[in-house]
Amino acid sequence: MPTMVATQMLREAVAEVMRTDLEKDEMRLLKMHGAKAETYPLEVVELVCKRLASKPHLYEILRGSTIACPPPPPPKKKNAENEKRLAQIKRELEEREYANMVKDVRRSEIAAEGVGGMQTYKSQLGEGMSIIFSKATAFAIGYYASRTVHGVDTVHNAICGLLGLIIG
């Protein structure tokens, strides 16, 4: 519960209420703080408002008062064992970051590219067979195209087939 900084008006109101007939717990609460306290909890201020004969509003009694902020807690003592562990973790993290910065970047790029699809024996054999079949097809297209245009001239047809092989 918030505490309020005591003003002269609030102290006088507390002293006046203490002179009236109060229940045991109310009197105990007021005596615990007294009429000359520096701060009062809000429950005391509310009790004063309720028990005063003039029935003032809460803002009238608190005029000029502010909320009392508690003092900051003392700084916690740092555990030496935790400090050593934290320093070790920071060193490991820095070493990991450094190793990550200086690693061979090109190696991961090559692995990602798959070296043109030639990583295994089967893929190499497949690529070789693909090239052989495409060149044979280009030769056949050149040979039969020449045969359609020039007729059956074996030398001329072979030259056109070789031209198709080179271009294709």
Side-chain angles (χ1 to χ4, degrees):
M1 182 154 278
T3 56
M4 307 304 294
V5 175
T7 61
Q8 186 61 32
M9 184 176 185
L10 183 56
R11 286 190 188 107
E12 291 170 2
V14 169
E16 184 180 331
V17 169
M18 287 178 81
R19 289 189 294 266
T20 62
D21 288 333
L22 296 171
E23 296 176 13
K24 272 186 183 178
D25 57 337
E26 294 174 342
M27 184 54 88
R28 188 171 21 97
L29 180 64
L30 288 177
K31 282 186 178 179
M32 187 170 39
H33 295 288
K36 296 186 179 181
E38 293 294 318
T39 61
Y40 290 106
L42 197 55
E43 61 185 344
V44 170
V45 178
E46 289 173 344
L47 175 66
V48 168
C49 286
K50 187 168 59 172
R51 293 296 182 173
L52 272 177
S54 60
K55 301 285 184 199
H57 292 285
L58 183 63
Y59 73 88
E60 293 171 344
I61 289 183
L62 291 177
R63 187 177 299 140
S65 180
T66 59
I67 297 176
C69 296
K76 293 182 180 180
K77 295 178 182 174
K78 295 183 178 180
N79 188 346
E81 185 179 311
N82 286 344
E83 290 294 320
K84 289 178 185 175
R85 187 166 182 235
L86 181 63
Q88 179 185 2
I89 291 171
K90 282 183 179 179
R91 261 192 321 259
E92 288 174 2
L93 180 64
E94 288 174 359
E95 288 172 7
R96 228 180 284 140
E97 287 176 351
Y98 179 75
N100 207 11
M101 285 190 312
V102 297
K103 73 178 181 181
D104 187 8
V105 180
R106 190 69 186 131
R107 183 177 302 158
S108 62
E109 288 177 6
I110 291 171
E113 292 173 0
V115 192
M118 295 269 217
Q119 289 186 342
T120 64
Y121 175 72
K122 284 185 177 181
S123 65
Q124 291 175 2
L125 188 61
E127 288 288 326
M129 293 303 291
S130 174
I131 292 171
I132 289 171
F133 285 127
S134 66
K135 292 298 180 176
T137 304
F139 177 83
I141 289 173
Y143 182 84
Y144 286 107
S146 170
R147 194 169 184 191
T148 314
V149 173
H150 299 292
V152 182
D153 182 9
T154 311
V155 175
H156 195 266
N157 293 344
I159 292 174
C160 285
L162 286 174
L163 187 64
L165 180 106
I166 293 170
I167 293 175

